[in-house]
Coordinates of all heavy atoms in Angstrom, one line a residue:
M4 N 16.6 13.5 1.1 CA 16.8 12.6 2.2 C 15.4 12.1 2.6 O 14.4 12.8 2.6 CB 17.4 13.4 3.4 CG 17.7 12.6 4.6 SD 18.6 13.6 5.8 CE 17.4 13.6 7.1
A5 N 15.3 10.8 2.9 CA 14.0 10.2 3.3 C 13.6 10.7 4.6 O 14.4 11.0 5.5 CB 14.2 8.7 3.3
S6 N 12.3 10.8 4.8 CA 11.7 11.2 6.1 C 10.4 10.5 6.4 O 9.7 10.1 5.4 CB 11.5 12.7 6.2 OG 10.6 13.1 5.2
W7 N 10.1 10.3 7.6 CA 8.9 9.6 8.0 C 7.8 10.6 8.1 O 8.0 11.7 8.7 CB 9.1 9.0 9.4 CG 10.0 7.8 9.3 CD1 11.3 7.8 9.5 CD2 9.6 6.4 9.0 NE1 11.8 6.5 9.3 CE2 10.8 5.6 9.1 CE3 8.4 5.8 8.8 CZ2 10.8 4.3 8.8 CZ3 8.4 4.4 8.5 CH2 9.6 3.7 8.6
I8 N 6.6 10.3 7.5 CA 5.5 11.2 7.7 C 4.3 10.4 8.3 O 4.1 9.2 8.1 CB 5.1 11.8 6.3 CG1 4.6 10.7 5.3 CG2 6.2 12.6 5.7 CD1 3.9 11.3 4.1
T9 N 3.5 11.1 9.0 CA 2.3 10.5 9.7 C 1.2 10.5 8.7 O 0.9 11.5 8.1 CB 2.0 11.4 10.9 OG1 3.1 11.4 11.8 CG2 0.8 10.7 11.7
L10 N 0.5 9.3 8.7 CA -0.6 9.1 7.8 C -2.0 9.2 8.5 O -2.9 10.0 8.1 CB -0.6 7.8 7.1 CG 0.5 7.5 6.2 CD1 0.3 6.2 5.5 CD2 0.6 8.6 5.1
C11 N -2.2 8.4 9.5 CA -3.5 8.3 10.2 C -3.3 7.6 11.5 O -2.3 7.0 11.7 CB -4.5 7.6 9.3 SG -4.0 5.9 9.0
P12 N -4.3 7.7 12.4 CA -4.3 6.9 13.6 C -4.3 5.4 13.3 O -5.0 4.9 12.3 CB -5.6 7.3 14.3 CG -6.0 8.6 13.7 CD -5.5 8.6 12.3
F13 N -3.5 4.6 14.0 CA -3.4 3.2 13.8 C -4.8 2.5 14.0 O -5.1 1.6 13.2 CB -2.4 2.6 14.8 CG -2.2 1.1 14.7 CD1 -2.1 0.5 13.5 CD2 -2.2 0.4 15.9 CE1 -1.9 -0.9 13.4 CE2 -2.0 -1.0 15.8 CZ -1.8 -1.6 14.6
D14 N -5.6 3.0 14.9 CA -6.9 2.4 15.1 C -7.8 2.6 13.8 O -8.6 1.7 13.5 CB -7.7 3.1 16.3 CG -7.1 2.6 17.6 OD1 -6.3 1.7 17.6 OD2 -7.4 3.3 18.6
E15 N -7.6 3.7 13.1 CA -8.4 3.9 11.9 C -8.0 2.9 10.8 O -8.8 2.4 10.1 CB -8.2 5.4 11.4 CG -9.0 5.7 10.2 CD -8.8 7.2 9.8 OE1 -8.6 8.0 10.7 OE2 -8.7 7.4 8.6
L16 N -6.7 2.7 10.7 CA -6.2 1.8 9.7 C -6.7 0.4 10.0 O -7.1 -0.4 9.1 CB -4.7 1.8 9.6 CG -4.0 0.8 8.6 CD1 -4.4 1.2 7.2 CD2 -2.5 0.7 8.8
K17 N -6.6 0.0 11.3 CA -7.1 -1.4 11.6 C -8.6 -1.5 11.3 O -9.0 -2.6 10.9 CB -6.8 -1.6 13.1 CG -5.4 -2.0 13.4 CD -5.2 -2.8 14.7 CE -5.6 -1.9 15.9 NZ -5.3 -2.6 17.1
K18 N -9.4 -0.5 11.6 CA -10.8 -0.5 11.4 C -11.2 -0.6 9.9 O -12.0 -1.4 9.5 CB -11.4 0.7 12.1 CG -12.9 0.7 12.0 CD -13.5 1.9 12.8 CE -14.9 2.2 12.4 NZ -15.3 3.5 12.5
E19 N -10.5 0.3 9.1 CA -10.9 0.4 7.7 C -10.1 -0.6 6.8 O -10.6 -0.9 5.8 CB -10.6 1.8 7.2 CG -11.3 2.9 8.0 CD -12.8 2.9 7.8 OE1 -13.3 2.4 6.8 OE2 -13.5 3.3 8.8
G20 N -9.0 -1.0 7.3 CA -8.2 -1.9 6.5 C -7.4 -1.3 5.4 O -6.6 -1.9 4.7
L21 N -7.6 0.1 5.2 CA -6.9 0.7 4.1 C -6.9 2.2 4.3 O -7.8 2.8 4.9 CB -7.8 0.5 2.8 CG -7.4 1.2 1.5 CD1 -6.1 0.7 1.0 CD2 -8.5 1.1 0.5
F22 N -5.8 2.9 4.0 CA -5.7 4.3 4.0 C -5.0 4.7 2.7 O -4.0 4.1 2.3 CB -4.9 4.8 5.2 CG -4.8 6.3 5.3 CD1 -5.9 7.0 6.0 CD2 -3.8 7.0 4.8 CE1 -5.8 8.4 6.1 CE2 -3.7 8.4 4.9 CZ -4.7 9.1 5.5
V23 N -5.5 5.8 2.1 CA -4.8 6.3 0.8 C -4.3 7.7 1.0 O -5.0 8.5 1.6 CB -5.8 6.2 -0.3 CG1 -5.2 6.8 -1.6 CG2 -6.3 4.8 -0.6
L24 N -3.1 7.9 0.7 CA -2.4 9.2 0.7 C -2.2 9.7 -0.7 O -1.5 9.0 -1.5 CB -1.1 9.1 1.5 CG -0.2 10.3 1.5 CD1 -0.9 11.4 2.3 CD2 1.2 10.0 2.0
E25 N -2.9 10.8 -1.0 CA -2.7 11.4 -2.3 C -1.6 12.4 -2.2 O -1.7 13.4 -1.4 CB -4.0 12.0 -2.8 CG -5.1 11.1 -3.0 CD -4.9 10.1 -4.1 OE1 -4.0 10.2 -4.9 OE2 -5.7 9.1 -4.2
L26 N -0.5 12.3 -3.1 CA 0.5 13.3 -3.1 C 0.5 13.9 -4.5 O -0.1 13.3 -5.5 CB 1.9 12.6 -2.9 CG 2.1 11.9 -1.5 CD1 3.4 11.1 -1.5 CD2 2.1 13.0 -0.4
P27 N 1.2 15.0 -4.7 CA 1.2 15.6 -6.0 C 1.8 14.7 -7.1 O 1.3 14.7 -8.2 CB 2.0 16.9 -5.9 CG 2.0 17.2 -4.4 CD 1.8 15.9 -3.7
S28 N 2.7 13.9 -6.7 CA 3.4 13.1 -7.7 C 3.0 11.6 -7.7 O 3.2 10.9 -8.7 CB 4.9 13.1 -7.3 OG 5.1 12.6 -6.0
T29 N 2.2 11.2 -6.7 CA 1.8 9.8 -6.7 C 0.7 9.6 -5.7 O 0.2 10.5 -5.0 CB 3.0 8.8 -6.4 OG1 2.6 7.5 -6.7 CG2 3.5 9.0 -5.0
S30 N 0.2 8.3 -5.6 CA -0.8 7.9 -4.6 C -0.2 6.7 -3.9 O 0.4 5.8 -4.5 CB -2.1 7.6 -5.3 OG -3.0 7.1 -4.5
I31 N -0.4 6.7 -2.6 CA 0.2 5.6 -1.8 C -1.0 5.0 -1.0 O -1.8 5.7 -0.4 CB 1.3 6.1 -0.8 CG1 2.4 6.6 -1.6 CG2 1.7 4.9 0.1 CD1 3.5 7.3 -0.8
A32 N -1.1 3.6 -1.1 CA -2.1 2.9 -0.3 C -1.4 2.1 0.8 O -0.4 1.5 0.6 CB -2.9 2.0 -1.2
V33 N -2.0 2.2 2.0 CA -1.5 1.4 3.1 C -2.6 0.4 3.5 O -3.8 0.8 3.7 CB -1.2 2.3 4.3 CG1 -0.7 1.4 5.5 CG2 -0.2 3.4 4.0
F34 N -2.3 -0.8 3.4 CA -3.2 -1.9 3.7 C -2.9 -2.5 5.1 O -1.7 -2.6 5.5 CB -3.1 -3.0 2.7 CG -3.5 -2.7 1.3 CD1 -2.5 -2.1 0.4 CD2 -4.7 -2.9 0.8 CE1 -2.9 -1.7 -0.9 CE2 -5.1 -2.5 -0.5 CZ -4.2 -1.9 -1.3
W35 N -4.0 -2.9 5.8 CA -3.8 -3.6 7.0 C -4.3 -5.0 6.8 O -5.5 -5.2 6.5 CB -4.6 -3.0 8.2 CG -4.5 -3.7 9.4 CD1 -5.6 -4.5 10.0 CD2 -3.5 -3.8 10.4 NE1 -5.2 -5.1 11.2 CE2 -3.9 -4.7 11.4 CE3 -2.2 -3.3 10.4 CZ2 -3.0 -5.0 12.5 CZ3 -1.3 -3.6 11.4 CH2 -1.8 -4.5 12.5
T36 N -3.4 -6.0 6.8 CA -3.8 -7.4 6.6 C -2.9 -8.3 7.3 O -1.7 -8.0 7.4 CB -3.9 -7.7 5.0 OG1 -4.3 -9.0 4.9 CG2 -2.6 -7.5 4.3
E37 N -3.4 -9.5 7.7 CA -2.5 -10.5 8.4 C -1.8 -9.9 9.6 O -0.6 -10.3 9.9 CB -1.5 -11.0 7.4 CG -2.1 -11.6 6.1 CD -2.6 -13.1 6.3 OE1 -1.8 -13.9 6.7 OE2 -3.8 -13.3 6.1
G38 N -2.4 -8.9 10.2 CA -1.8 -8.3 11.4 C -0.6 -7.4 11.1 O 0.2 -7.1 12.0
E39 N -0.5 -6.9 9.9 CA 0.6 -6.0 9.5 C 0.2 -4.9 8.6 O -0.8 -5.1 7.9 CB 1.7 -6.8 8.8 CG 2.7 -7.6 9.6 CD 3.9 -8.1 8.8 OE1 4.8 -7.4 8.5 OE2 3.8 -9.3 8.5
A40 N 0.9 -3.8 8.6 CA 0.6 -2.7 7.7 C 1.6 -2.8 6.5 O 2.8 -3.0 6.7 CB 0.7 -1.4 8.4
F41 N 1.1 -2.6 5.3 CA 2.0 -2.6 4.1 C 1.6 -1.3 3.3 O 0.5 -1.0 3.0 CB 1.7 -3.8 3.3 CG 1.9 -5.1 4.0 CD1 0.9 -5.8 4.5 CD2 3.2 -5.6 4.1 CE1 1.1 -7.0 5.2 CE2 3.4 -6.8 4.7 CZ 2.4 -7.5 5.3
A42 N 2.7 -0.6 2.9 CA 2.5 0.6 2.1 C 3.1 0.4 0.7 O 4.2 0.0 0.6 CB 3.2 1.8 2.8
V43 N 2.2 0.7 -0.3 CA 2.7 0.5 -1.7 C 2.2 1.6 -2.5 O 1.2 2.3 -2.2 CB 2.1 -0.9 -2.3 CG1 2.6 -2.1 -1.5 CG2 0.6 -0.8 -2.3
E44 N 2.8 1.8 -3.7 CA 2.3 2.8 -4.6 C 1.0 2.3 -5.1 O 0.8 1.1 -5.5 CB 3.3 3.0 -5.7 CG 3.0 4.2 -6.6 CD 4.2 4.7 -7.4 OE1 5.0 3.8 -7.9 OE2 4.4 5.9 -7.4
N45 N 0.0 3.2 -5.1 CA -1.4 2.8 -5.4 C -1.6 2.9 -7.0 O -2.6 3.4 -7.4 CB -2.3 3.8 -4.7 CG -3.7 3.5 -4.8 OD1 -4.1 2.3 -5.0 ND2 -4.6 4.5 -4.7
I46 N -0.7 2.4 -7.7 CA -0.8 2.5 -9.2 C -0.3 1.1 -9.8 O 0.8 0.7 -9.6 CB 0.1 3.6 -9.7 CG1 -0.3 4.9 -9.1 CG2 0.1 3.6 -11.3 CD1 0.7 6.1 -9.4
C47 N -1.2 0.4 -10.4 CA -0.9 -0.9 -11.0 C 0.0 -0.6 -12.2 O -0.1 0.3 -13.0 CB -2.2 -1.5 -11.5 SG -2.0 -3.1 -12.4
T48 N 1.0 -1.5 -12.3 CA 2.0 -1.4 -13.3 C 1.5 -1.9 -14.7 O 2.2 -1.8 -15.7 CB 3.3 -2.1 -12.9 OG1 3.0 -3.5 -12.7 CG2 4.0 -1.5 -11.8
H49 N 0.3 -2.5 -14.7 CA -0.2 -2.9 -16.0 C -0.7 -1.7 -16.8 O -0.2 -1.4 -17.9 CB -1.3 -3.9 -15.8 CG -2.0 -4.2 -17.1 ND1 -3.4 -4.1 -17.3 CD2 -1.6 -4.6 -18.3 CE1 -3.7 -4.4 -18.5 NE2 -2.6 -4.7 -19.2
D50 N -1.7 -1.0 -16.2 CA -2.3 0.1 -16.9 C -2.7 1.3 -16.0 O -3.6 2.0 -16.3 CB -3.5 -0.4 -17.8 CG -3.9 0.6 -18.8 OD1 -3.1 1.4 -19.3 OD2 -5.1 0.7 -19.1
G51 N -2.0 1.4 -14.9 CA -2.3 2.5 -14.0 C -3.5 2.5 -13.1 O -3.9 3.5 -12.6
G52 N -4.1 1.3 -13.0 CA -5.3 1.2 -12.2 C -5.0 1.4 -10.7 O -3.9 1.2 -10.3
E53 N -6.0 1.9 -9.9 CA -5.8 2.1 -8.5 C -5.9 0.7 -7.8 O -6.9 0.0 -8.1 CB -6.8 3.0 -7.9 CG -6.5 4.5 -8.2 CD -7.4 5.4 -7.4 OE1 -7.8 5.0 -6.3 OE2 -7.8 6.5 -7.9
L54 N -4.9 0.4 -7.0 CA -5.0 -0.9 -6.3 C -5.9 -0.8 -5.0 O -6.5 -1.8 -4.6 CB -3.6 -1.3 -5.9 CG -2.7 -1.5 -7.1 CD1 -1.3 -1.8 -6.6 CD2 -3.2 -2.7 -7.9
A55 N -6.0 0.4 -4.4 CA -6.9 0.6 -3.3 C -8.3 0.2 -3.7 O -8.8 0.6 -4.7 CB -6.8 2.0 -2.8
G56 N -8.9 -0.6 -2.9 CA -10.3 -1.0 -3.2 C -10.3 -2.4 -3.9 O -11.4 -3.0 -4.0
G57 N -9.1 -2.8 -4.3 CA -9.1 -4.2 -4.9 C -9.1 -5.2 -3.7 O -8.8 -4.9 -2.6
P58 N -9.6 -6.4 -4.1 CA -9.6 -7.5 -3.0 C -8.2 -7.8 -2.5 O -7.2 -7.7 -3.2 CB -10.2 -8.7 -3.8 CG -10.7 -8.2 -5.1 CD -10.0 -6.9 -5.4
V59 N -8.1 -8.1 -1.2 CA -6.9 -8.5 -0.6 C -7.1 -9.9 -0.1 O -8.0 -10.2 0.7 CB -6.5 -7.5 0.6 CG1 -5.2 -8.0 1.3 CG2 -6.3 -6.1 0.0
E60 N -6.1 -10.8 -0.4 CA -6.1 -12.1 0.0 C -4.8 -12.4 0.7 O -3.8 -12.5 0.0 CB -6.4 -13.1 -1.1 CG -7.7 -12.9 -1.8 CD -8.0 -13.8 -3.0 OE1 -7.0 -14.6 -3.4 OE2 -9.1 -13.7 -3.6
G61 N -4.8 -12.5 2.0 CA -3.5 -12.6 2.7 C -2.7 -11.4 2.5 O -3.2 -10.3 2.8
T62 N -1.5 -11.5 1.9 CA -0.7 -10.4 1.6 C -0.6 -10.1 0.1 O 0.4 -9.5 -0.4 CB 0.7 -10.6 2.2 OG1 1.3 -11.8 1.7 CG2 0.7 -10.6 3.7
T63 N -1.7 -10.5 -0.6 CA -1.8 -10.2 -2.0 C -2.9 -9.3 -2.3 O -4.0 -9.5 -1.8 CB -2.0 -11.6 -2.8 OG1 -0.9 -12.4 -2.6 CG2 -2.2 -11.3 -4.3
V64 N -2.6 -8.3 -3.1 CA -3.7 -7.4 -3.5 C -4.0 -7.7 -5.0 O -3.1 -7.9 -5.8 CB -3.4 -5.9 -3.3 CG1 -2.2 -5.4 -4.1 CG2 -4.6 -5.0 -3.6
I65 N -5.3 -7.7 -5.4 CA -5.7 -7.9 -6.7 C -6.2 -6.6 -7.4 O -7.1 -6.0 -6.8 CB -6.8 -9.0 -6.8 CG1 -6.3 -10.3 -6.1 CG2 -7.2 -9.3 -8.2 CD1 -7.3 -11.3 -5.8
C66 N -5.6 -6.2 -8.5 CA -6.0 -5.0 -9.1 C -7.5 -5.2 -9.6 O -7.8 -6.1 -10.3 CB -5.1 -4.7 -10.3 SG -5.6 -3.2 -11.2
P67 N -8.3 -4.2 -9.2 CA -9.7 -4.3 -9.6 C -10.0 -4.2 -11.1 O -11.1 -4.5 -11.6 CB -10.4 -3.3 -8.8 CG -9.4 -2.3 -8.4 CD -8.1 -3.1 -8.4
R68 N -9.0 -3.7 -11.8 CA -9.3 -3.4 -13.3 C -9.2 -4.7 -14.1 O -10.1 -5.1 -14.8 CB -8.4 -2.3 -13.8 CG -8.8 -1.0 -13.4 CD -8.1 0.1 -14.1 NE -8.4 0.1 -15.5 CZ -7.6 0.7 -16.4 NH1 -6.5 1.3 -16.0 NH2 -7.8 0.6 -17.7
H69 N -8.0 -5.4 -14.1 CA -7.9 -6.6 -14.9 C -7.3 -7.8 -14.2 O -7.0 -8.8 -14.8 CB -6.9 -6.2 -16.1 CG -7.3 -5.0 -16.8 ND1 -6.5 -3.9 -16.8 CD2 -8.3 -4.6 -17.6 CE1 -7.0 -2.9 -17.5 NE2 -8.1 -3.3 -18.0
G70 N -7.2 -7.7 -12.9 CA -6.9 -8.8 -12.1 C -5.5 -9.2 -11.8 O -5.2 -10.2 -11.3
A71 N -4.5 -8.3 -12.1 CA -3.1 -8.5 -11.8 C -3.0 -8.6 -10.3 O -3.7 -8.0 -9.5 CB -2.2 -7.4 -12.3
C72 N -2.1 -9.5 -9.8 CA -1.9 -9.7 -8.4 C -0.5 -9.2 -8.0 O 0.5 -9.4 -8.7 CB -2.0 -11.1 -8.0 SG -3.6 -11.8 -8.4
F73 N -0.4 -8.6 -6.8 CA 0.9 -8.1 -6.3 C 1.1 -8.5 -4.9 O 0.1 -8.5 -4.1 CB 1.0 -6.5 -6.4 CG 0.9 -6.0 -7.8 CD1 -0.4 -5.6 -8.3 CD2 2.0 -5.8 -8.6 CE1 -0.5 -5.1 -9.6 CE2 1.9 -5.3 -9.8 CZ 0.7 -5.0 -10.4
N74 N 2.3 -8.8 -4.5 CA 2.7 -9.1 -3.2 C 2.9 -7.8 -2.4 O 3.7 -7.0 -2.8 CB 4.0 -9.9 -3.2 CG 4.4 -10.3 -1.8 OD1 4.5 -9.5 -0.9 ND2 4.8 -11.6 -1.6
L75 N 2.1 -7.6 -1.4 CA 2.2 -6.3 -0.6 C 3.5 -6.2 0.1 O 3.9 -5.1 0.4 CB 1.0 -6.3 0.4 CG -0.4 -6.1 -0.3 CD1 -1.5 -6.2 0.7 CD2 -0.5 -4.7 -1.0
K76 N 4.2 -7.3 0.5 CA 5.4 -7.2 1.2 C 6.5 -6.8 0.3 O 7.4 -5.9 0.7 CB 5.8 -8.6 1.8 CG 5.0 -9.0 3.0 CD 5.6 -10.3 3.6 CE 4.7 -10.7 4.7 NZ 5.2 -12.0 5.3
T77 N 6.6 -7.4 -0.9 CA 7.8 -7.1 -1.8 C 7.4 -6.2 -3.0 O 8.3 -5.7 -3.6 CB 8.3 -8.5 -2.3 OG1 7.3 -9.0 -3.2 CG2 8.6 -9.4 -1.2
G78 N 6.2 -6.1 -3.3 CA 5.7 -5.4 -4.5 C 5.8 -6.2 -5.7 O 5.4 -5.8 -6.8
A79 N 6.2 -7.5 -5.7 CA 6.4 -8.3 -6.8 C 5.0 -8.5 -7.5 O 4.0 -8.7 -6.9 CB 7.0 -9.7 -6.4
A80 N 5.1 -8.5 -8.9 CA 3.9 -8.9 -9.7 C 3.8 -10.4 -9.6 O 4.8 -11.1 -10.0 CB 4.1 -8.4 -11.1
L81 N 2.6 -10.9 -9.2 CA 2.5 -12.4 -9.1 C 1.6 -13.0 -10.2 O 1.7 -14.2 -10.3 CB 1.8 -12.6 -7.7 CG 2.5 -12.1 -6.5 CD1 1.6 -12.4 -5.2 CD2 3.9 -12.8 -6.3
A82 N 0.8 -12.2 -10.9 CA 0.0 -12.7 -11.9 C -0.2 -11.7 -13.0 O -0.4 -10.5 -12.7 CB -1.4 -13.2 -11.3
P83 N -0.2 -12.1 -14.3 CA -0.5 -11.1 -15.3 C -1.9 -10.6 -15.3 O -2.7 -11.1 -14.6 CB -0.3 -12.0 -16.6 CG -0.4 -13.4 -16.2 CD -0.1 -13.4 -14.7
P84 N -2.1 -9.5 -15.9 CA -1.3 -8.9 -17.0 C -0.2 -7.9 -16.6 O 0.4 -7.3 -17.4 CB -2.4 -8.1 -17.8 CG -3.4 -7.7 -16.8 CD -3.5 -8.8 -15.8
A85 N 0.1 -7.8 -15.3 CA 1.2 -7.0 -14.8 C 2.5 -7.9 -14.7 O 2.4 -9.0 -14.2 CB 0.9 -6.3 -13.5
Y86 N 3.6 -7.3 -15.1 CA 4.8 -8.1 -15.0 C 5.9 -7.3 -14.2 O 6.9 -7.9 -13.7 CB 5.4 -8.4 -16.4 CG 4.5 -9.3 -17.1 CD1 3.5 -8.7 -18.0 CD2 4.5 -10.6 -16.9 CE1 2.6 -9.5 -18.7 CE2 3.6 -11.5 -17.6 CZ 2.7 -10.9 -18.5 OH 1.8 -11.7 -19.2
E87 N 5.7 -6.0 -14.0 CA 6.7 -5.2 -13.3 C 6.2 -5.0 -11.8 O 4.9 -4.9 -11.6 CB 6.8 -3.8 -13.9 CG 7.3 -3.8 -15.3 CD 8.7 -4.4 -15.4 OE1 9.6 -4.1 -14.5 OE2 9.0 -5.2 -16.3
P88 N 7.1 -4.9 -10.9 CA 6.6 -4.8 -9.5 C 6.1 -3.4 -9.2 O 6.4 -2.4 -9.9 CB 7.9 -5.0 -8.7 CG 9.0 -4.6 -9.6 CD 8.5 -5.0 -11.0
I89 N 5.3 -3.3 -8.1 CA 4.9 -1.9 -7.6 C 5.9 -1.5 -6.5 O 6.6 -2.4 -5.9 CB 3.5 -1.9 -7.0 CG1 3.3 -3.1 -6.0 CG2 2.5 -2.0 -8.1 CD1 2.0 -3.1 -5.3
R90 N 6.0 -0.2 -6.3 CA 7.0 0.3 -5.3 C 6.4 0.0 -3.9 O 5.2 0.2 -3.7 CB 7.2 1.7 -5.5 CG 8.2 2.3 -4.6 CD 8.6 3.8 -4.9 NE 9.4 4.3 -3.9 CZ 9.8 5.6 -3.9 NH1 9.4 6.4 -4.8 NH2 10.6 6.0 -2.9
T91 N 7.2 -0.3 -3.0 CA 6.8 -0.5 -1.6 C 7.5 0.6 -0.7 O 8.6 1.1 -1.1 CB 7.1 -1.9 -1.0 OG1 8.6 -2.0 -1.0 CG2 6.5 -3.0 -1.8
Y92 N 6.9 0.9 0.4 CA 7.5 1.9 1.3 C 7.6 1.3 2.7 O 6.7 0.6 3.1 CB 6.6 3.1 1.4 CG 6.4 3.8 0.0 CD1 5.4 3.4 -0.8 CD2 7.2 4.9 -0.3 CE1 5.2 4.0 -2.1 CE2 7.1 5.5 -1.6 CZ 6.1 5.1 -2.4 OH 5.9 5.7 -3.6
P93 N 8.6 1.7 3.5 CA 8.7 1.3 4.9 C 7.5 1.9 5.6 O 7.2 3.1 5.4 CB 10.0 1.8 5.3 CG 10.9 2.0 4.1 CD 9.9 2.4 3.0
V94 N 6.9 1.1 6.5 CA 5.8 1.6 7.3 C 6.1 1.2 8.8 O 6.6 0.1 9.0 CB 4.5 1.1 6.8 CG1 4.4 -0.4 6.7 CG2 3.3 1.6 7.5
R95 N 5.7 2.0 9.7 CA 5.8 1.7 11.1 C 4.7 2.4 11.9 O 4.0 3.3 11.4 CB 7.2 2.2 11.6 CG 7.2 3.8 11.8 CD 8.6 4.2 12.2 NE 8.7 5.7 12.3 CZ 9.8 6.4 12.5 NH1 10.9 5.8 12.6 NH2 9.7 7.7 12.6
I96 N 4.5 1.8 13.1 CA 3.5 2.4 14.0 C 4.2 3.0 15.2 O 5.0 2.4 15.8 CB 2.5 1.3 14.6 CG1 2.1 0.3 13.5 CG2 1.4 1.9 15.3 CD1 1.3 1.0 12.3
R97 N 3.9 4.3 15.4 CA 4.6 5.1 16.4 C 3.6 5.9 17.2 O 2.9 6.7 16.6 CB 5.6 6.1 15.8 CG 7.0 5.5 15.5 CD 7.8 5.5 16.7 NE 9.1 4.8 16.5 CZ 10.2 5.3 16.2 NH1 10.3 6.6 16.0 NH2 11.3 4.6 16.0
E98 N 3.5 5.6 18.5 CA 2.6 6.4 19.4 C 1.2 6.4 18.8 O 0.6 7.5 18.8 CB 3.2 7.8 19.6 CG 4.5 7.8 20.3 CD 5.2 9.1 20.5 OE1 4.6 10.1 20.0 OE2 6.3 9.2 21.0
G99 N 0.7 5.3 18.4 CA -0.6 5.2 17.9 C -0.9 5.7 16.5 O -2.0 5.8 16.1
Q100 N 0.2 6.1 15.8 CA 0.0 6.7 14.5 C 0.7 5.8 13.4 O 1.8 5.3 13.7 CB 0.6 8.1 14.4 CG 0.0 9.1 15.4 CD -1.4 9.5 15.0 OE1 -1.7 9.7 13.8 NE2 -2.3 9.5 16.0
V101 N 0.2 5.8 12.2 CA 0.8 5.0 11.1 C 1.7 6.0 10.4 O 1.3 7.1 10.0 CB -0.2 4.5 10.2 CG1 0.5 3.7 9.0 CG2 -1.2 3.6 10.9
E102 N 3.0 5.6 10.2 CA 3.9 6.5 9.5 C 4.5 5.7 8.4 O 4.8 4.5 8.4 CB 5.1 6.9 10.5 CG 4.6 7.7 11.7 CD 5.7 8.1 12.6 OE1 6.8 7.5 12.5 OE2 5.5 8.9 13.5
I103 N 4.9 6.4 7.3 CA 5.6 5.8 6.2 C 6.8 6.6 5.9 O 6.9 7.8 6.2 CB 4.8 5.6 4.9 CG1 4.3 7.0 4.3 CG2 3.6 4.7 5.1 CD1 3.8 6.9 2.9
E104 N 7.8 6.0 5.3 CA 9.1 6.7 5.0 C 9.1 7.0 3.5 O 9.0 6.1 2.7 CB 10.3 5.8 5.4 CG 11.6 6.6 5.2 CD 12.8 5.7 5.6 OE1 12.7 4.5 5.4 OE2 13.7 6.3 6.2
L105 N 9.2 8.2 3.2 CA 9.3 8.7 1.8 C 10.7 9.1 1.4 O 11.4 9.6 2.3 CB 8.3 9.8 1.5 CG 6.8 9.5 1.7 CD1 6.0 10.7 1.4 CD2 6.4 8.4 0.7
Ligands
FES210 S1 -4.6 -1.8 -14.6 FE1 -4.3 -3.3 -13.1 S2 -4.5 -5.2 -14.1 FE2 -4.8 -3.7 -15.6

């Protein structure tokens, strides 16, 4: 069953623009851009590069390894060399905390 987990204070996400949650099975990156928070799997579908730290333009993140682009809202691959989407997660702000649904 899915459940909401708390990641970090909302003020921290707004200040840093990024928060990374390392789990035993995966890594999740939460981006703050365009006045919204977006949570995605932090693994490029091209060759496993970390998306956290890649440039963000609007709601697009660019993989720092080979330049694939992904839509942070939908996870869609927008530019090669990646063709498969990344996973996205529901994110919400509750009582000053950033939460994602796993
Ligand atoms: S690992 Fe991301 S573009 Fe190659």
Side-chain angles (χ1 to χ4, degrees):
M4 189 174 112
S6 60
W7 290 91
I8 63 166
T9 301
L10 295 186
C11 66
F13 181 43
D14 287 347
E15 185 181 322
L16 179 65
K17 280 202 297 188
K18 184 174 159 209
E19 303 296 331
L21 175 69
F22 183 87
V23 176
L24 173 68
E25 299 291 350
L26 297 172
S28 57
T29 192
S30 173
I31 297 170
V33 182
F34 294 87
W35 175 256
T36 181
E37 303 279 301
E39 279 188 76
F41 301 98
V43 299
E44 194 159 39
N45 186 26
I46 301 170
C47 179
T48 55
H49 171 237
D50 194 30
E53 283 191 31
L54 298 173
V59 176
E60 296 177 359
T62 55
T63 298
V64 63
I65 303 167
C66 179
R68 284 191 63 203
H69 312 109
C72 298
F73 297 94
N74 182 311
L75 290 170
K76 286 184 183 180
T77 65
L81 302 175
Y86 298 95
E87 297 298 319
I89 51 174
R90 183 172 175 186
T91 62
Y92 299 86
V94 58
R95 70 185 182 188
I96 313 300
R97 276 276 172 95
E98 298 175 0
Q100 300 292 316
V101 181
E102 300 178 346
I103 61 169
E104 187 177 36
L105 293 179

